[in-house]
Amino acid sequence: MSAIPVTIGRRMPLPTASADLGAFEVEAARASIGAPLVDTHGRVHRDLRISLTDRCSLRCTYCMPEQGNEWLAKTSILTLDEIVRIARVAATDGITTFRLTGGEPLLRTDIVEVVRRLSAITGPDGRPVEIAMTTNGIRLPELLPALVDAGLDRLNISIDTLRRDRFHALTRRDRLDDVLDGIAAAAASALRPLKLNAVAMRDVNDDELVDLVEFAIAHDAQMRFIEQMPLDAGHTWDRSRMVTQDEILAALSAHWTLTPVPGRGGAPAARWTLDGGPHSVGVIASVTAPFCGDCDRLRLTADGQLRNCLFSTTEYDLLPILRAGGDDGEIDGMLRSCVRGKLPGHAINDPSFLQPARGMNAIGG
């Protein structure tokens, strides 16, 4: 394994008078701090996913190769102060939720301080932002009390299988007990809603869908199934291996009466109550039922690249602004350039679709 600076995709510089925007438009963008982040399709952006590292304690087959990973160099990883600076500008522009992702965010040594600093940020209305996290749960038993005290509001924990042999085959690590201990710690906490995520894969874990829902119910959590997406670093995604939303719902309908939950808004998961509630299940059907028209998310990679879509092949580079004396107006301008460049959808189902060069661990969930 090596650690080298990596440039992936097409990075966009800060707009200047010599770039696509005219001088007047550049100055207008810099003077717009505090205005909502609205793209050319009318979508207002309120959610920023912040990746803290590309490293992980697991090697899930649909995300990372087992060996030969080229990690981002430590010098290119955003510092805590840099993350907070970007987050403050984003909150001023109407971002209300920061979701911490990776890789595995709990591997970041300053993770508690990251949560503490971000949770102290307030929006223009004086309300504090919401801090969420997506994790594999392995370090939760030791870190969760401090994270809650620091201001963590919500947790999503990944668990694709309850079988030890399958877990080892999927993650290439024998850590199922550690993940289950993390889920137990989260269930014992006051953090709600607690969500468990599973990627549904044909002939891998599609016979465990009901078991996973029952496991989630037992832990007062909501199970969410995710259609497998073309985001693996090895670019080996095969549509035929993906379990579709319709197949997931058909399997669950044999055990529960499913009733659609209205009012999804910009949430990635459509939800159904089980036998009238209170428990529910979610499905994130990015491939067969895209929800791009309501997407309100932006992403910040661990090395300072803004992305306006999980599947984007274009990135907007904040590092030169952060490390060459740029002001907050330039950060705001880059946020607005990123939002302005957002396409109407990801086009997974279009023959021209190109899988992003980065794997999921380097993009952030």
Side-chain angles (χ1 to χ4, degrees):
M1 293 185 294
S2 59
I4 60 175
V6 178
T7 300
I8 304 176
R10 187 163 63 97
R11 295 187 176 181
M12 303 296 288
L14 179 71
T16 65
S18 61
D20 293 338
L21 299 180
F24 175 80
E25 194 172 351
V26 171
E27 291 308 313
R30 291 180 181 227
S32 62
I33 295 181
L37 295 169
V38 185
D39 68 17
T40 58
H41 306 282
R43 294 169 295 197
V44 181
H45 291 71
R46 302 182 179 89
D47 185 307
L48 179 63
R49 312 267 166 129
I50 301 175
S51 178
L52 299 179
T53 178
D54 62 330
R55 298 178 184 250
C56 189
S57 42
L58 302 177
R59 295 291 182 273
C60 295
T61 56
Y62 52 80
C63 182
M64 301 169 64
E66 183 174 11
Q67 297 178 339
N69 293 283
E70 291 189 338
W71 307 113
L72 297 171
K74 289 184 178 180
T75 54
S76 69
I77 300 295
L78 293 175
T79 67
L80 173 56
D81 286 343
E82 289 169 340
I83 292 170
V84 172
R85 186 180 174 198
I86 296 167
R88 287 189 184 281
V89 175
T92 300
D93 290 341
I95 295 293
T96 59
T97 299
F98 297 118
R99 175 170 293 279
L100 306 179
T101 70
E104 172 47 48
L106 295 182
L107 290 182
R108 178 120 177 180
T109 57
D110 59 354
I111 183 61
V112 174
E113 192 60 20
V114 170
V115 172
R116 191 180 311 281
R117 295 274 301 276
L118 291 179
S119 68
I121 296 174
T122 57
D125 60 0
R127 296 181 182 178
V129 297
E130 184 176 53
I131 308 298
M133 181 184 295
T134 297
T135 172
N136 62 31
I138 288 176
R139 297 194 67 203
L140 280 179
E142 62 179 292
L143 291 174
L144 189 54
L147 290 169
V148 172
D149 181 70
L152 183 66
D153 295 298
R154 290 191 290 115
L155 269 176
N156 289 13
I157 306 174
S158 300
I159 177 77
D160 294 318
T161 177
L162 300 172
R163 289 178 44 171
R164 186 177 306 281
D165 57 336
R166 287 183 178 175
F167 187 92
H168 191 278
L170 272 171
T171 69
R172 291 114 164 192
R173 300 289 187 272
D174 186 16
R175 305 295 299 271
L176 177 60
D177 286 343
D178 296 321
V179 173
L180 295 179
D181 287 346
I183 293 172
S189 77
L191 296 183
R192 292 298 185 276
L194 173 62
K195 299 175 183 178
L196 306 183
N197 294 342
V199 177
M201 293 163 280
R202 193 175 309 286
D203 300 326
V204 176
N205 64 349
D206 54 340
D207 60 344
E208 288 189 79
L209 303 183
V210 171
D211 293 341
L212 285 164
V213 172
E214 291 177 336
F215 174 82
I217 291 172
H219 289 79
D220 192 27
Q222 177 198 127
M223 193 69 224
R224 305 198 313 171
F225 294 107
I226 304 170
E227 289 183 342
Q228 188 175 2
M229 295 175 280
L231 289 167
D232 60 300
H235 290 205
T236 60
W237 180 77
D238 182 351
R239 182 182 292 268
S240 67
R241 305 292 295 173
M242 177 189 72
V243 181
T244 68
Q245 174 175 271
D246 287 347
E247 291 175 294
I248 293 167
L249 296 179
L252 300 182
S253 294
H255 294 264
W256 295 279
T257 298
L258 304 182
T259 304
V261 177
R264 173 180 178 175
R271 292 194 301 128
W272 290 261
T273 57
L274 304 170
D275 290 340
H279 300 291
S280 65
V281 66
V283 181
I284 300 175
S286 298
V287 179
T288 66
F291 41 90
C292 304
D294 295 312
C295 180
D296 65 353
R297 288 171 295 287
L298 296 173
R299 286 176 166 79
L300 176 66
T301 68
D303 58 341
Q305 308 304 309
L306 282 170
R307 298 174 64 91
N308 53 35
C309 178
L310 191 57
F311 301 97
S312 178
T313 56
T314 299
E315 298 179 336
Y316 296 75
D317 195 354
L318 282 170
L319 277 185
I321 297 172
L322 297 166
R323 299 184 178 179
D327 59 29
D328 287 354
E330 292 177 279
I331 296 174
D332 174 82
M334 189 64 85
L335 282 165
R336 296 185 188 281
S337 293
C338 182
V339 169
R340 189 164 46 245
K342 189 166 184 171
L343 299 175
H346 53 51
I348 283 179
N349 297 303
D350 190 284
S352 64
F353 173 76
L354 293 176
Q355 183 172 339
R358 288 188 192 249
M360 188 69 169
N361 68 298
I363 295 173

